[in-house]
């Protein structure tokens, strides 16, 4: 059981969260005295009436009267509850929620953690493959579309080698099981003989992240005539497509 109450948990998040930085991910802010101002994300406007006070950790819009703290902001921006906003922020800042739950949740929490670990390792693996000699064709493809090394890094693009088990072997080397990789949507069971094979092969990869910034799935685009042209990762314990809390990078939408 983590120490502290739910109230302490919220206070700790409030202290850690940088409202101006979080708002700045969506709204272009400029300084005006002690405040930062920008175009309101909650209503349509051409002149900025949205203000953030970094010192107080609050925002207010003089146009639509939206206002509140970092929890309110996240909840309204993503259309989620206060508790869900708190959970997202807690995860983002590495603040553990006080435990009131039983063993079952511990088990599913551990499982989710392993799946996220597999996805994070896969993300680094794909990124490294894109930088390696074997990623040359994919890099040329991206360069022709105006994506240089810094854009590739910014969007977290990668290359899934055109082989059956490169990722599988890489993740096995990190102690992950085939079942865990399959749950993460990274591998598929072989049709006969048991074992698994890589889902993404010979494709550009784009991370799909949750709003806490964690990689929860991938999209993969074929470079040549392979079908399907665009391959999406499946739903998983960490990736529920019916929820709207996921971001596909802009570049993924652009090149798909
Ligand atoms: Zn407004």
């Amino acid at each position: 059981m983590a120490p502290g109450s739910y109230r302490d948990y919220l206070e700790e998040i409030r202290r850690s969260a940088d409202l101006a930085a979080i708002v700045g991910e969506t709204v272009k802010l400029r300084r005006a005295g002690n405040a930062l101002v920008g175009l309101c994300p909650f209503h349509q406007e051409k002149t900025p009436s949205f203000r953030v006070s970094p010192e107080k950790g609050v925002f207010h819009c003089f146009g639509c009267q939206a206002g509140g703290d970092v929890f309110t902001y996240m909840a309204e921006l993503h259309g989620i509850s206060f508790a869900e906003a708190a959970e997202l922020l807690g995860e983002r800042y590495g603040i553990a929620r006080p435990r009131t739950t039983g063993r079952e949740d511990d088990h599913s929490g551990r499982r989710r953690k392993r799946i996220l670990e597999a996805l994070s390792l896969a993300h680094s693996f794909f990124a490294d493959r894109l930088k390696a000699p074997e990623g040359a064709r994919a890099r040329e493809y991206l360069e022709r579309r105006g994506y240089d090394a810094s854009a590739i890094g910014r969007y977290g693009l990668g290359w899934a080698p055109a082989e059956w088990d490169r990722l599988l072997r890489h993740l096995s080397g990190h102690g992950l099981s085939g079942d865990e990789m399959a749950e993460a949507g990274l591998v598929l069971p072989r049709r006969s003989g048991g074992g698994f094979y890589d889902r993404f092969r010979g494709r550009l990869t784009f991370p799909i992240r949750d709003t806490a910034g964690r990689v929860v799935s991938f999209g993969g685009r074929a470079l040549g005539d392979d079908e399907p042209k665009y391959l999406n990762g499946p739903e998983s314990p960490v990736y529920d497509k019916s929820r709207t809390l996921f971001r596909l990078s802009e570049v993924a939408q652009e090149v798909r």
Side-chain angles (χ1 to χ4, degrees), residues 40 42-43 61 63-64:
C40 179
F42 303 118
H43 84 280
C61 173
C64 68

Side-chain angles (χ1 to χ4, degrees), residues 2-65:
S5 66
Y6 192 67
R7 184 182 292 266
D8 295 338
Y9 165 66
L10 295 180
E11 268 316 305
E12 199 184 341
I13 293 171
R14 206 190 303 276
R15 274 198 304 275
S16 308
D18 182 349
L19 178 63
I22 289 171
V23 173
E25 289 169 6
T26 311
V27 179
K28 195 164 182 293
L29 293 169
R30 63 176 172 77
R31 187 157 274 285
N34 289 331
L36 298 161
V37 300
L39 295 174
C40 179
F42 303 118
H43 84 280
Q44 288 284 341
E45 63 174 2
K46 292 207 172 76
T47 48
S49 41
F50 185 81
R51 298 171 73 84
V52 176
S53 164
E55 286 80 8
K56 294 179 188 149
V58 297
F59 70 94
H60 179 69
C61 173
F62 293 96
C64 68
Q65 302 304 321

